[in-house]
Amino acid sequence: MKYDPPKLAEFAQLRRALPVAAAVLLLAAPLLPMWHIRVQAVQYPDTILELHLYAYPHIGGDYGEMAALNHYIGFYYPDPVFWQPNYEPHPKAIRVPEWSLGPLAFLGVAGAGLFVALAPDTGRLKRGLTWQLVGSVTVLTVMLADIQYRLYQAGHTLDESAPVMGVDGFTPPLWGKYEVANITSYSRLGVGAYATAVAIGLLVVAFYYRDSPATFGDLPDRLAGRIEGGREWLDEHTVGDDEWVEDGDEPPARTGGSNSTAGTATPGRESERSRQDPNGGD
């Protein structure tokens, strides 16, 4: 079967350009820190230690000082098995071979985006965008779940021969504050994680425009149309006619129908009531 590549002008379309942009971000993400940890410890009263963890077996920052602190409670950096990290794994560290495969996951997702963008026709492009989004979200969700499980495993398999005994098991969160013994840590996502999130967002937008040849130049008008449509919907569903009356103005008079006269007293009726009840009903 002969392959006819899309014309260069077609890459101005959002459904082709955004997967390419997402692929670039996903290729760059593993080279950037995925996770930051800031640590305060009494052993370093004038210093805040920092760790930067990557999608491949590499830890930046004050990893030597942190390894010394973690030694006291029997918590060790994981052993990636297939990839020699920039530290020496402890013999009792948990084995995390999938950490070595992290770059391959990002490379696969990025490659899928480029493959989809080169689809020869609209039908294949639309199917590719659907499976690209589903596959990317699935892969990254599995990676996050695995990371959280490994953090739980590392925090609940502390070395029983550590100098500090009696430390309860713990799970370092991906985001938030946690305290272990006399060590206080603050976890935050890194630039690589945010780049990955932006890439997924671009894939969502590409999937949204899968049926449209819209380009970047069409976005301002389309966004303006969406905003105007939202205003019209709000006007129709949440605002009544009398709610537009400015302070101090009279509401518009109602005309026609039985309800328009039921609550309105005419001069003739007022005169008739006065003659029937001259004392005002007292």
Side-chain angles (χ1 to χ4, degrees):
M1 184 175 62
K2 183 181 178 180
Y3 169 70
D4 294 322
K7 296 180 175 59
L8 186 60
E10 294 183 55
F11 284 94
Q13 299 174 5
L14 296 173
R15 58 188 179 183
R16 291 190 187 272
L18 293 183
V20 174
V24 173
L25 288 174
L26 290 170
L27 289 174
L31 304 177
L32 303 170
M34 288 285 177
W35 192 30
H36 289 299
I37 304 176
R38 301 175 72 248
V39 178
Q40 295 176 336
V42 295
Q43 292 86 345
Y44 298 90
D46 300 324
T47 304
I48 295 179
L49 304 179
E50 294 190 3
L51 289 181
H52 315 301
L53 289 90
Y54 292 75
Y56 65 98
H58 182 83
I59 300 178
D62 305 308
Y63 64 91
E65 291 81 355
M66 277 302 304
L69 287 177
N70 290 335
H71 170 75
Y72 286 105
I73 62 173
F75 182 88
Y76 307 120
Y77 297 143
D79 181 1
V81 182
F82 302 123
W83 188 316
Q84 179 60 44
N86 61 324
Y87 58 88
E88 188 60 36
H90 193 278
K92 294 185 178 181
I94 63 170
R95 294 164 64 87
V96 186
E98 62 270 25
W99 194 10
S100 300
L101 304 178
L104 293 179
F106 281 87
L107 181 62
V109 174
L114 294 175
F115 181 78
V116 168
L118 292 170
D121 54 68
T122 302
R124 296 179 186 179
L125 175 62
K126 290 165 60 176
R127 290 194 299 271
L129 289 171
T130 301
W131 287 110
Q132 163 75 357
L133 180 59
V134 172
S136 300
V137 171
T138 300
V139 169
L140 295 175
T141 300
V142 170
M143 290 178 66
L144 283 175
D146 179 73
I147 291 171
Q148 192 63 69
Y149 167 71
R150 291 302 191 181
L151 290 172
Y152 170 87
Q153 185 182 22
H156 286 79
T157 55
L158 302 178
D159 187 357
E160 295 180 355
S161 62
V164 178
M165 304 296 294
V167 177
D168 295 331
F170 63 98
T171 303
L174 292 174
W175 183 287
K177 174 184 176 181
Y178 61 100
E179 297 181 3
V180 180
N182 57 1
I183 303 172
T184 302
S185 303
Y186 303 86
S187 299
R188 294 291 184 270
L189 298 179
V191 177
Y194 289 116
T196 303
V198 171
I200 295 299
L202 295 179
L203 293 177
V204 171
V205 176
F207 174 77
Y208 180 81
Y209 284 106
R210 66 191 182 280
D211 294 318
S212 170
T215 65
F216 288 99
D218 298 327
L219 280 180
D221 291 339
R222 287 177 176 266
L223 290 176
R226 291 291 182 185
I227 294 173
E228 184 62 27
R231 288 176 176 173
E232 292 177 356
W233 186 91
L234 288 174
D235 291 347
E236 180 179 352
H237 291 83
T238 63
V239 180
D241 292 339
D242 55 344
E243 295 184 43
W244 288 112
V245 178
E246 299 290 340
D247 294 339
D249 293 341
E250 292 295 331
R254 296 181 179 272
T255 58
S258 58
N259 290 337
S260 63
T261 59
T264 305
T266 60
R269 289 178 180 175
E270 288 293 338
S271 301
E272 183 178 352
R273 290 196 187 99
S274 299
R275 290 193 299 269
Q276 293 175 354
D277 191 0
N279 295 322
D282 293 336

